Amino acid sequence: MTEPAHQAEPGRVIGIAGVAFTSFNCIVGVGIFGLPGLVAGVLGPAAILAYGTCLLLLALVALCLAEAGSRVPHAGGLYAYAAAAFGPVVGGVTGALALFASSIGSAAALARFFIDTLAGFIPAAGSPVGVVVVLLALYGSLAIANILGTRGGGRLAIVFGLLKFTPLALLIIIGAFAVQPHNLVWTSIPPVAKVGEATLLLFFAFMGIESGLCVSGETRNPARTIPRAIALSLATVAALYIGLQTVTQGVLGPALAMSTAPLADTAGVALGPWGAQLLGVLTLLSAGGYLAADMLSSPRIAFALARAGQLPQVVGRIHPRLGTPVVAIGLYSASVVLVALSGTFQQIAVLAVSGTLVTYLICCLGVLRLRALGVEGDGPPFVAPGGWVAPIGAAAMIVWLFTTLATRELVATLAFVVVVGAVYAARHAMRRPVVLIK
């Protein structure tokens, strides 16, 4: 069957580059600046094994996201897919996890990190007044850019993505000339358990690929655009991460495992004293790129929830002239600023990792349900090759990852899911029409 038409949504103006760079910016955050040292601490020169394993596993999730995105071309990303597959209650839980457990907390934490990094260049930015001024200026600018037009938000994500990618790519190219081949020699074959430990670390670093899917409702020809954008984003990130790992290992050798700033240290060796300053600016761009991409994608979750009646209807309002979800953008911006100012983002971040895993699991299993229902979007959907292999394989991988999480994270996530599920179930039951039997 073909999915029923939804209410009018914003115009479809985002292409492959907009979706791909939105995902790219949300994956390649500030973690990349310390990631090579962490992985080398587990596997040493054999770290490349973890990248291969992680990419193989993540490819299964990406295939599921690509198929779901091509079948459900509506705003909200994982929320829209879950609602189409399993109904409003599961969709509501997924949307709440994606919005509150992941997006707002992560964005608030990155906003504070952005300010801390900026304070290294402009000390006044770290003062109490400076923090307020920077947050208001930062999120005011991002909100205005996205309210004025989705194209503007998409272009901003592309600009930040290019500003982030170009220096990292140059570091790989220039650093390659300083590589010492003996630093890349494996001294032994690491045990499977160690490869698994490093793979888990990397999998978390790759999370965020679904962020570009939140703008599915504003994406041109989503059945073709979404799969291609996901493939482009994942391939770019994979090449970047593997290149940086190889260069940092080749330049720093055994010292990489003890480095807390491996990219800066590598830049210092390859580029000289000004390399560290360059990496400081690049860190700002990286954090800014994440925030710009997040502002383009995350408000669409709130917009989609409102359109489904699971948030106040006013949140789903579209500006009559600009065609953008103006209230959702403004509300999301204000929420991130308030959480960043309050400092409660640390508590919310506890749910971020496990909450993301739950949304991935629901989406992967939802692909099987979407197939069974025959849900299609604006054209023939992309179908992940291998039949059930990608959805079931991805689900099994996610369940395995759950076993590695701390008990408090699992309990907190379960409590969140139970409470939100109960609220949405009660709300859905109250909205059902009552049939009188005479």
Side-chain angles (χ1 to χ4, degrees):
M1 74 178 185
T2 302
E3 181 156 347
H6 283 209
Q7 302 178 60
E9 295 188 354
R12 298 186 180 277
V13 296
I14 299 180
I16 292 176
V19 176
F21 274 105
T22 298
S23 293
F24 174 82
N25 279 321
C26 287
I27 297 171
V28 185
V30 296
I32 184 59
F33 296 93
L35 181 64
L38 296 176
V39 181
V42 179
L43 294 179
I48 197 68
L49 285 176
Y51 283 87
T53 305
C54 183
L55 286 170
L56 178 62
L57 297 179
L58 191 66
L60 298 176
V61 176
L63 286 171
C64 294
L65 294 177
E67 180 168 342
S70 71
R71 289 181 180 274
V72 185
H74 304 298
L78 300 187
Y79 158 72
Y81 311 156
F86 299 115
V89 175
V90 175
V93 171
T94 304
L97 280 168
L99 182 60
F100 296 106
S102 299
S103 299
I104 292 177
S106 298
L110 260 294
R112 290 305 295 256
F113 179 88
F114 179 90
I115 292 174
D116 291 342
T117 304
L118 182 63
F121 296 92
I122 308 174
S127 67
V129 175
V131 169
V132 174
V133 171
V134 173
L135 279 174
L136 292 177
L138 175 63
Y139 267 89
S141 301
L142 292 175
I144 290 172
N146 281 274
I147 288 172
L148 289 178
T150 302
R151 280 194 183 93
R155 288 169 182 165
L156 192 60
I158 294 173
V159 169
F160 267 109
L162 290 174
L163 289 174
K164 181 190 304 185
F165 174 81
T166 302
L168 290 175
L170 287 175
L171 177 60
I172 294 173
I173 295 171
I174 296 173
F177 292 97
V179 166
Q180 302 295 320
H182 65 270
N183 287 334
L184 300 176
V185 176
W186 296 10
T187 55
S188 63
I189 302 296
V192 174
K194 283 293 184 182
V195 175
E197 180 184 346
T199 299
L200 177 64
L201 177 66
L202 282 174
F203 184 80
F204 293 143
F206 274 97
M207 281 183 175
I209 195 169
E210 77 282 359
S211 300
L213 307 183
C214 292
V215 294
S216 295
E218 295 153 272
T219 299
R220 295 191 299 268
N221 194 4
R224 287 166 53 87
T225 299
I226 294 296
R228 293 181 179 184
I230 288 179
L232 176 61
S233 177
L234 184 57
T236 302
V237 171
L240 192 64
Y241 278 17
I242 291 174
L244 288 171
Q245 185 70 45
T246 302
V247 167
T248 53
Q249 180 67 53
V251 172
L252 300 179
L256 175 60
M258 298 174 286
S259 174
T260 57
L263 297 195
D265 291 343
T266 301
V269 174
L271 303 175
W274 60 275
Q277 289 292 323
L278 174 63
L279 263 293
V281 175
L282 183 56
T283 302
L284 279 174
L285 292 175
S286 184
Y290 176 94
L291 297 176
D294 178 71
M295 180 56 73
L296 177 63
S297 62
S298 291
R300 271 68 183 179
I301 303 174
F303 168 81
L305 285 166
R307 279 303 180 92
Q310 294 176 318
L311 280 180
Q313 290 186 355
V314 67
V315 180
R317 183 189 172 205
I318 298 174
H319 193 283
R321 182 172 60 85
L322 301 174
T324 54
V326 56
V327 177
I329 292 172
L331 183 62
Y332 183 80
S333 301
S335 298
V336 174
V337 170
L338 289 175
V339 173
L341 288 175
S342 68
T344 55
F345 63 87
Q346 292 182 343
Q347 286 74 37
I348 296 176
V350 173
L351 288 172
V353 171
S354 50
T356 301
L357 286 174
V358 173
T359 59
Y360 278 13
L361 179 61
I362 292 172
C363 178
C364 291
L365 295 178
V367 167
L368 298 176
R369 179 68 173 164
L370 292 173
R371 290 177 184 175
L373 294 174
V375 174
E376 296 182 3
D378 299 333
F382 167 81
V383 179
W388 55 266
V389 172
I392 297 301
M397 172 197 68
I398 292 168
V399 170
W400 169 67
L401 289 174
F402 268 122
T403 65
T404 67
L405 293 174
T407 301
R408 67 174 184 174
E409 292 178 338
L410 292 174
V411 171
T413 303
L414 178 61
F416 187 94
V417 170
V418 169
V419 171
V420 173
V423 170
Y424 279 129
R427 182 181 177 86
H428 182 62
M430 292 174 62
R431 294 177 64 186
R432 288 180 179 175
V434 178
V435 179
L436 299 178
I437 301 177
K438 296 184 179 180

